[in-house]
Amino acid sequence: MEFKKNMFYITADAVVFTILSKELKILLIKRSHEPFKSKFALPGGMVNIDEDLEEAAKRELEEETGVKNIFLKKLHAFGEVNRDPRGRMVTIPFYALVDGEKINLNSTSGAEFAQWFSVYELPELAFDHKKIVDDALKHLRYEVKNTNIAVQLMPEDFTLSELQNAYEIIFNEKQDKRNFRKKIKELGILKAIPGTKMDGAHRPAKLYSFKEKGYKML
Amino acid sequence: MEFKKNMFYITADAVVFTILSKELKILLIKRSHEPFKSKFALPGGMVNIDEDLEEAAKRELEEETGVKNIFLKKLHAFGEVNRDPRGRMVTIPFYALVDGEKINLNSTSGAEFAQWFSVYELPELAFDHKKIVDDALKHLRYEVKNTNIAVQLMPEDFTLSELQNAYEIIFNEKQDKRNFRKKIKELGILKAIPGTKMDGAHRPAKLYSFKEKGYKML
DNA sequence: CCAAAAGTGTTAGTGATACACCCATGT
DNA sequence: ACATGGGTGTATCACTAACACTTTTGG
């Protein structure tokens, strides 16, 4: 692709969060071209002229991860003059939350390859993508506290310990078991599900599910 | 200006808040051209190709209001395909807070004229500017609660009642005088200033000032 | 019977809310 | 002296944080 010097280009990048192996991870792609060749960067790409911003982010993500119906939230635009040496790029980043078990990275199209990284052990990132990740993490934490987006990170049924684990990983701090359960029950966003889950030699845990799957302020 | 169909255009619009005559107001401009001719819209305009987004917003605002050094915060981009009939416009809105007394609207350049409107009695707005205003108001309230941006709305010295007034206007609800003063004092962001302010036949009020003028989380 | 995670209540502390009277001034 | 907004403290309530033992299972 060739870039003109007197034109704006709009890209939509995505910070895709998931929880895998008890860590909060984001999806990164190793760049196969200059600039920042062989550095890691956020998945994303050019917005087409006849495409909404969110549509573009969804399309790019689907191409990268093979996952449809991804939940996306807009972040602040980044548009410094020299953030990309090729031309005047303004990026509208989004952040997404997915259940890592459902993603199949092998379906990646093109020569680049995608990989999960712990948010606490990121490689050096291309462009100003580090700033975007920081912004996304801030927003993620805010929304996990104040909305029911955790829905997006959890499987259909889960135990209270699994949910607590997810919170601890996102906020990077231990929570008190009794207080956590009390708070969650008061919120009234979960419903008990008939079965139980066994996971080793100990008492089986009751299963729960979110009452509502739609985005909702608490 | 002529718009090409296969190009993105970036605009920076500003939602400028102030408090005037005991009301929370924003600055709007009556459009003198199509589309939306003679409707009101947010001040703003095209970002130049060699200009940062915030720089552009500052420049536009200075042209419209004659005020420099305006405090700006970025909002979410709006970029729906058909939000502007002339072409593919993506706007990066900002919101700004100013002390209304310092602004001189007569310095408006060009044929359009600027005017303050109460946020609770807005005229019909051009484009999707109503959505932008709503987003800005939400962010304003969040930040007034959690940061010291109120600095931007107040004159150098002020009385506690004046500050309380500003809060009541922004949140559109009465506050308890004693609780308000207690909370503010506990935050420790104000310092007492020697003089007093008289304003009618009653006890004069002590003057206060913000200790720090920079943006700060509380 | 031992190990390991599930499950369950109470107490203390902290911050938010509600509320009423005296003070200093100009007229 | 009176009208007007300035200034002050206390008691209650709601929410948050700290904390330990019993239960159920597999091995």
Side-chain angles (χ1 to χ4, degrees), chain A residues 161 177-178 181-182 202-203 205-206:
Chain A
S161 292
K177 194 178 6 168
R178 281 176 288 191
R181 289 155 114 97
K182 194 192 312 170
H202 51 80
R203 178 173 179 173
K206 285 187 196 149

Side-chain angles (χ1 to χ4, degrees), chain B:
Chain B
M1 179 155 176
E2 193 177 288
F3 293 92
K4 296 193 181 126
K5 281 299 166 200
N6 57 348
M7 252 180 93
F8 284 97
Y9 294 90
I10 311 280
T11 60
D13 295 324
V15 184
V16 187
F17 290 101
T18 198
I19 293 179
L20 274 178
S21 328
K22 311 240 162 197
E23 289 188 289
L24 182 60
K25 306 211 168 187
I26 62 172
L27 192 62
L28 296 176
I29 281 176
K30 190 160 195 172
R31 290 180 59 80
S32 51
H33 303 291
E34 291 295 348
F36 296 99
K37 184 174 173 175
S38 80
K39 287 265 185 291
F40 285 91
L42 295 171
M46 296 289 162
V47 177
N48 295 326
I49 198 78
D50 58 352
E51 193 180 37
D52 284 341
L53 303 173
E54 185 160 340
E55 247 180 73
K58 282 206 161 133
R59 175 180 51 73
E60 296 282 354
L61 258 183
E62 226 177 287
E63 288 170 19
E64 306 284 4
T65 65
V67 170
K68 289 187 175 221
N69 297 323
I70 285 183
F71 169 88
L72 288 173
K73 287 280 287 187
K74 220 187 272 175
L75 296 167
H76 290 153
F78 286 74
E80 274 184 37
V81 172
N82 290 312
R83 57 182 296 277
D84 190 316
R86 292 167 294 178
R88 186 66 199 274
M89 307 277 189
V90 174
T91 188
I92 318 291
F94 290 81
Y95 76 90
L97 285 81
V98 300
D99 173 0
E101 309 292 339
K102 292 184 191 152
I103 304 271
N104 179 10
L105 293 187
N106 297 331
S107 63
T108 309
S109 68
E112 296 163 325
F113 76 98
Q115 201 180 328
W116 294 108
F117 286 86
S118 160
V119 293
Y120 306 114
E121 292 161 26
L122 292 178
E124 205 184 328
L125 299 186
F127 310 106
D128 51 6
H129 286 188
K130 181 67 167 64
K131 277 194 222 166
I132 298 176
V133 170
D134 289 344
D135 195 41
L137 187 55
K138 220 173 61 191
H139 278 78
L140 168 67
R141 284 176 175 158
Y142 174 81
E143 296 231 302
V144 166
K145 270 213 177 81
N146 297 293
T147 76
N148 67 340
I149 48 165
V151 174
Q152 305 293 329
L153 279 167
M154 302 300 296
E156 177 60 32
D157 300 348
F158 50 86
T159 70
L160 292 178
S161 292
E162 284 166 353
L163 184 62
Q164 183 175 342
N165 246 308
Y167 274 73
E168 289 175 346
I169 289 164
I170 290 165
F171 293 102
N172 204 22
E173 63 185 22
K174 277 262 166 256
Q175 309 261 337
D176 179 89
K177 197 185 352 175
R178 279 176 289 189
N179 292 338
F180 179 81
R181 289 157 111 97
K182 194 194 308 173
K183 204 172 60 188
I184 290 289
K185 277 175 187 166
E186 273 167 9
L187 286 175
I189 56 176
L190 299 188
K191 60 178 181 219
I193 291 287
T196 59
K197 172 164 182 173
M198 273 304 304
D199 177 32
H202 52 80
R203 179 173 176 174
K206 283 185 198 151
L207 285 173
Y208 291 83
S209 178
F210 284 94
K211 277 186 198 161
E212 302 188 42
K213 299 293 162 54
Y215 182 79
K216 210 175 102 183
M217 272 288 183
L218 299 182

